[in-house]
Amino acid sequence: MDTKSFSVEKIQHIRDTVGGGKAISALSGGVDSSTCTVLAHRAIGDNLKSIFIDDGLMREGEPQEVQKIFAGLGIPVDIVDAQDEFFAALKGKFDPEEKRKAFRNTFYTVFGREVRKSDARFLVQGTIAADIIETKGGVKTQHNILEQIGIDPEAGYGFKVVEPIKDLFKHEVREVAAEVGLPESIHQRMPFPGPGLATRVVGEVTPERVAKVRKATTVVEQEIAALKPFQAFAVLLSDQGTGVVKGTRKFGDIVIVRSVESRDAMTAEPSRVPWEVLQKIAHRIVIEIPDVVRVAYEITPKPPATIEYI
Ligand code: XMP
């Protein structure tokens, strides 16, 4: 693929679509939304407002890190704190699809509000081909799919959606990201789902449960980074198991470690992580998150499992 002419064409397309008006970019710091943000910024400059929603479901330090990287690129990013709103929407929800829909609805309600506040009529977002295929195919309700499944964003939330990379797969997006000058920390960043850590908490998503999975995720990412997997993370199960802590039986949490190799996330194989690395991860997780008494490594490919847990 000719990434240079792709970028030139998309920049022109965004400029033509948004005209002299304003647009908001929904930036999460992942390679998809980062690429769209840079393309849109090149297209309309200061008429683009880039917003990072802090939904409380991000990894450790992520909002500030993303803001800093984009400041370095000359693109200011506003962080909108909507944590309470997301946790309120997720409260009492246990069903995976209900959780996904609650996330999506809150996500677009918050963006709708920001769009109206700033007089924008367009939301630029990083939907990619796999997102559309899997949502239309009924694999899951991906958070950023609206028009393709018959939801009119203008009627529902008050804006039109611009999706410059909706025909690309992940490896192609990475090439475009490098072409538009994004640093390696972004263009080679592990995919992280829109609904964030909510996809890695089985059962109810509460601030306390997210805090546990966030800590475990930091451990997994740190210990596994050198192996450069496609994706690696921790999952908190809703089941519990018995452990022994300081000679006393304790019914505690179970964390799953998942690491997969993939090209486009449509299929995936478990990574062959060395035993020593897994042992170190398990050791650190039970020490650093005392509620956890068991850690397991998952070896199911996709299909039949999906990569995320909800
Ligand atoms: P699954 O779990 O369906 O995930 O095998 C495939 C890829 O998509 C990511 N993923 C999402 N990304 N919004 C996103 O932006 C979502 O709702 C979502 N759900 C899953 C997942 O991390 C993997 O890379």
Side-chain angles (χ1 to χ4, degrees):
M1 139 184 211
D2 180 349
T3 51
K4 176 89 196 145
S5 49
F6 176 88
S7 310
V8 170
E9 187 193 310
K10 290 301 165 183
I11 290 169
Q12 191 56 47
H13 175 73
I14 298 169
R15 206 174 275 145
D16 294 343
T17 309
V18 179
K22 293 193 172 139
I24 296 245
S25 175
L27 177 65
S28 71
V31 63
D32 307 339
S33 65
S34 295
T35 303
C36 288
T37 300
V38 174
L39 292 173
H41 191 257
R42 294 215 179 140
I44 60 170
D46 290 346
N47 277 340
L48 180 78
K49 186 169 176 189
S50 302
I51 293 186
F52 182 104
I53 293 191
D54 186 354
D55 52 19
L57 304 165
M58 293 288 163
R59 286 167 293 187
E60 199 65 54
E62 205 158 20
Q64 292 68 29
E65 188 194 330
V66 171
Q67 195 176 40
K68 198 166 142 208
I69 291 173
F70 276 82
L73 295 168
I75 303 177
V77 174
D78 286 358
I79 298 176
V80 173
D81 183 353
Q83 298 187 40
D84 293 347
E85 224 166 318
F86 278 89
F87 283 119
L90 291 164
K91 195 170 172 12
K93 300 216 164 40
F94 294 82
D95 176 75
E97 278 293 283
E98 258 188 51
K99 283 157 67 175
R100 283 184 167 276
K101 284 177 183 156
F103 179 90
R104 180 178 67 193
N105 198 31
T106 313
F107 182 84
Y108 286 108
T109 302
V110 173
F111 266 117
R113 204 159 56 222
E114 295 302 319
V115 170
R116 282 191 296 282
K117 263 198 233 162
S118 55
D119 272 345
R121 282 182 38 241
F122 295 91
L123 180 73
V124 181
Q125 65 174 14
T127 316
I128 65 170
D131 302 343
I132 299 171
I133 294 169
E134 296 212 325
T135 299
K136 281 170 107 177
V139 176
K140 62 175 176 236
T141 304
Q142 178 107 355
H143 81 287
N144 53 2
I145 305 297
L146 297 172
E147 282 170 321
Q148 292 87 350
I149 56 168
I151 299 176
D152 177 355
E154 205 160 22
Y157 305 101
F159 52 77
K160 287 197 170 97
V161 166
V162 184
E163 296 173 321
I165 56 168
K166 70 175 167 37
D167 298 322
L168 303 190
F169 285 93
K170 196 63 103 185
H171 61 282
E172 297 171 313
V173 182
R174 292 197 196 285
E175 287 174 28
V176 177
E179 153 68 30
V180 299
L182 280 160
E184 191 177 339
S185 63
I186 298 270
H187 69 71
Q188 291 310 318
R189 204 177 186 87
M190 270 190 224
F192 186 64
L197 298 173
T199 61
R200 299 166 183 182
V201 170
V202 180
E204 193 180 17
V205 180
T206 63
E208 298 71 30
R209 301 192 76 218
V210 169
K212 289 183 204 176
V213 92
R214 179 179 292 120
K215 276 194 189 163
T217 299
T218 303
V219 172
V220 174
E221 287 192 357
Q222 285 173 353
E223 297 300 333
I224 240 169
L227 303 174
K228 295 188 185 296
F230 178 78
Q231 240 173 318
F233 52 89
V235 178
L236 180 67
L237 295 188
S238 51
D239 275 347
Q240 293 194 306
T242 301
V244 184
V245 180
K246 292 184 187 137
T248 309
R249 284 169 72 85
K250 176 178 171 180
F251 202 51
D253 290 322
I254 306 172
V255 161
I256 299 284
V257 175
R258 182 126 169 92
S259 178
V260 296
E261 307 306 327
S262 178
R263 185 170 152 86
D264 54 16
M266 302 282 291
T267 60
E269 285 294 325
S271 313
R272 290 171 183 261
V273 182
W275 189 244
E276 297 70 35
V277 176
L278 291 174
Q279 275 181 315
K280 176 125 189 254
I281 290 173
H283 179 73
R284 278 191 59 191
I285 289 177
V286 292
I287 298 284
E288 293 175 33
I289 313 156
D291 285 349
V292 179
V293 295
R294 282 167 192 254
V295 178
Y297 184 61
E298 200 206 317
I299 55 168
T300 327
K302 172 182 179 175
T306 56
I307 294 175
E308 306 290 346
Y309 261 59
I310 74 156

